[in-house]
Amino acid sequence: MSQDTTQAPDFTAQSTAGGDVTLSDTLESGPTVILVNRGHWCSFCAEQLQTFSDVSYDLWFHDDVTVLPVVTSELPKLVEMRDRFDLDFQLLADPEGEVAEQYSGTQETSHGLTGVAGTYVVDTDGAIRYEQVADHPGDRTYGNFVRYFIRNDFADPFGN
């Protein structure tokens, strides 16, 4: 976990809801959680996304937090993923890995180019207040931890 104040790179990506979503626009109303995911086929990604889906409405309603899951897959595959796992938020398509490269990076895998899994909490000033990049595909930060992190004034709720 990093507590520095590196600025989050702004980006715009296509949403499964239709249209584009821009990070700087979401920051106007509150903090934003950026989740970089490997692809629509990744079961570790789906598990993490479900934990954020479970808390996303609560974060939005009580804390004005937007969750932006960025997945290195084509939009139609992300619509299928959203519906298959009954996610309560929209996914953002990053098929060329342009957003992932600005954050956790990309890598070539048997599935082609994928993002390296990463979790970021960005405050309304655009500063990254939490960063976790996966050492391996199953190494993820889950939604409930991020909810407590935000509600603890961007500090580890467990004192680590």
Side-chain angles (χ1 to χ4, degrees), residues 16-109:
T16 52
D20 292 340
V21 174
T22 300
L23 173 61
S24 55
D25 291 345
T26 68
L27 294 175
E28 290 176 10
S29 60
T32 297
V33 178
I34 300 166
L35 305 171
V36 177
N37 281 276
R38 296 163 41 96
H40 69 279
W41 44 266
C42 174
S43 61
F44 294 111
C45 301
E47 181 182 13
Q48 181 195 36
L49 291 173
Q50 286 174 323
T51 73
F52 277 91
S53 180
D54 290 344
V55 300
S56 63
Y57 180 79
D58 181 51
L59 280 169
W60 171 80
F61 187 83
H62 292 287
D63 305 291
D64 297 317
V65 173
T66 302
V67 178
L68 299 181
V70 176
V71 187
T72 49
S73 290
E74 299 284 341
L75 194 62
K77 294 289 187 186
L78 296 186
V79 170
E80 291 173 18
M81 182 185 199
R82 179 200 64 200
D83 295 347
R84 181 171 65 244
F85 295 107
D86 195 26
L87 299 174
D88 286 339
F89 48 53
Q90 302 301 319
L91 306 176
L92 302 181
D94 185 29
E96 304 300 319
E98 293 168 1
V99 177
E101 192 56 48
Q102 295 181 77
Y103 284 87
S104 50
T106 58
Q107 60 190 20
E108 281 295 331
T109 71

Side-chain angles (χ1 to χ4, degrees), residues 107-120:
Q107 60 190 20
E108 281 295 331
T109 71
S110 60
H111 293 277
L113 181 74
T114 69
V116 174
T119 303
Y120 301 85

